[in-house]
Amino acid sequence: MYKYVIKPLLFLLTPDFTHKLIVFCGRVAQALPPVRWGIRKSWGFQDNSLQQEVSGITFRNPIGLSAGFDKNIQLLSLMEDIGFGFASGGSVTLEPRKGNRRPWFHRLPKTKSVVVFAGMPNKGLRKIRSYIERNTRRSSNAVSVISVAVIANKTTIEQAGGYPAEQAIINDVKKATEYIIHNKLASVVEINISCPNAGKEPFIEAESLDVLLTTLDIVPRDVPFWVKMPHLYDVEQFDSLLKVIVQHNVQGVTVANLIKDRSKINIKDSLTDEIRGGLSGAPTREHSLELIRHAYKKYGDRLTIIGVGGVFSAEDAYAKIKAGASLVGLITGLFFEGPQLVGQINRGLVELLKKDGFSRISEAVGADFRSRSKKTKKL
């Protein structure tokens, strides 16, 4: 029904309006218990083999909503009903942020991608707190992740004379994380150092990242911290960031954000330079897999890896898990395949586990490396 009826209608609308419409309808749906029951019965799927404990948190399945869709964290209850094992909201800032001038999104149907140029719009943590508390009253048990944008608030920019100094940005991020933790707003805090649509990215360099994480180390916490990694083709630079991260109080890395370098991918749709932004979806799939393998091979014993990028099927998710990801995030797959995709992926994962002789999803994490090791021994 989604493929042949709903999707063609939605794709007649602009992507920005479609996003607004889906968020509005989602908020209405999650406020109606009979609708929520119907969604759970129709789309939700859980199996004990998919449950695992990561950083002291029990995830009922490894498939989560990535940050970037639910920008103001208004849909936690609905995401739980659809069947996600966790839901990431944001990226957020302490104060409200308008983001870039619209349009924020541009569809590439043949490429199975979305060009994103939102610029971290959100209503600010004080307002977002009310949305989260409302969802909590609805007895939402979903694992919630708040992604904090490593970007300066408007007042910080003004105080810095129009240019946000790195230390001012760090202070804003520290205040935001402290607010989240003090008010118990999230199960996990994700530090988004890769904000490709919000100007300069000073913290994708090892030295500045070390300064940021050193400041965050002193923040008292009872939740894990993840770092959302940039999608870098320079593996040495990528590794330099990981080397810094493992020296700090960080439990996981999200690999990886949008692709900015369009020369590295095969774009099948018309896309001019005037349409600005990073690309999501299918173009990110293969190289994100290589980055996951690199992170797991070198730091898998110290960091949980959350694999994102181009997940449209159970096979896509399973490839990331076998490459070393304990958890898998997606957004673009929902736009192209529909909300039933989450249940389909989880059902497919159960079958793939059985096929490979695994009884639990945790046994499959990093399986590619164990298979290679066995082959090497035989040779």
Side-chain angles (χ1 to χ4, degrees), residues 11-74:
F11 275 40
L12 291 174
L13 307 172
T14 66
D16 287 57
F17 182 79
T18 300
H19 179 257
K20 287 183 179 180
L21 179 63
I22 292 173
V23 172
F24 173 78
C25 292
R27 294 184 67 187
V28 172
Q30 71 180 8
L32 302 172
V35 175
R36 291 188 61 188
W37 178 87
I39 290 172
R40 287 194 299 270
K41 296 293 288 184
S42 300
W43 296 334
F45 175 83
Q46 303 298 329
D47 189 272
N48 288 337
S49 65
L50 300 179
Q51 184 173 300
Q52 63 182 321
E53 186 173 302
V54 178
S55 299
I57 300 170
T58 299
F59 292 80
R60 58 180 184 166
N61 70 66
I63 306 303
L65 178 73
S66 293
F69 175 74
D70 189 9
K71 297 181 180 299
N72 291 301
I73 317 178
Q74 298 169 290

Side-chain angles (χ1 to χ4, degrees), residues 344-358:
Q344 291 172 351
I345 289 176
N346 282 320
R347 285 189 181 89
L349 285 176
V350 172
E351 295 304 315
L352 290 167
L353 288 175
K354 291 178 180 177
K355 182 179 178 182
D356 286 347
F358 298 127

Side-chain angles (χ1 to χ4, degrees), residues 99-226:
N100 296 330
R101 292 182 63 182
R102 292 184 182 273
W104 290 345
F105 309 109
H106 182 83
R107 294 190 197 97
L108 302 177
K110 296 176 183 177
T111 312
K112 284 199 167 183
S113 177
V114 175
V115 184
V116 182
F117 190 62
M120 306 299 163
N122 70 98
K123 295 184 179 181
L125 274 169
R126 295 177 181 89
K127 178 64 175 178
I128 289 170
R129 176 184 173 183
S130 66
Y131 297 137
I132 295 172
E133 291 175 345
R134 193 176 307 156
N135 273 281
T136 302
R137 289 195 293 271
R138 293 185 179 123
S139 301
S140 175
N141 295 313
V143 175
S144 59
V145 180
I146 294 184
S147 183
V148 178
V150 178
I151 190 168
N153 289 321
K154 182 180 178 182
T155 52
T156 303
I157 297 173
E158 292 170 349
Q159 291 167 1
Y163 183 79
E166 289 182 13
Q167 190 57 52
I169 297 175
I170 290 172
N171 290 338
D172 278 357
V173 175
K174 181 174 179 286
K175 290 176 184 177
T177 57
E178 288 173 335
Y179 187 89
I180 293 167
I181 293 166
H182 176 74
N183 291 285
K184 300 186 183 300
L185 301 183
S187 309
V188 180
V189 174
E190 179 183 72
I191 307 301
N192 183 5
I193 65 170
S194 175
C195 306
N197 307 306
K200 188 180 178 184
E201 299 172 277
F203 300 98
I204 63 172
E205 300 295 335
E207 185 176 343
S208 55
L209 177 60
D210 185 53
V211 177
L212 170 66
L213 296 182
T214 297
T215 301
L216 295 181
D217 282 343
I218 65 174
V219 175
R221 69 189 74 165
D222 56 359
V223 298
F225 272 32
W226 297 344

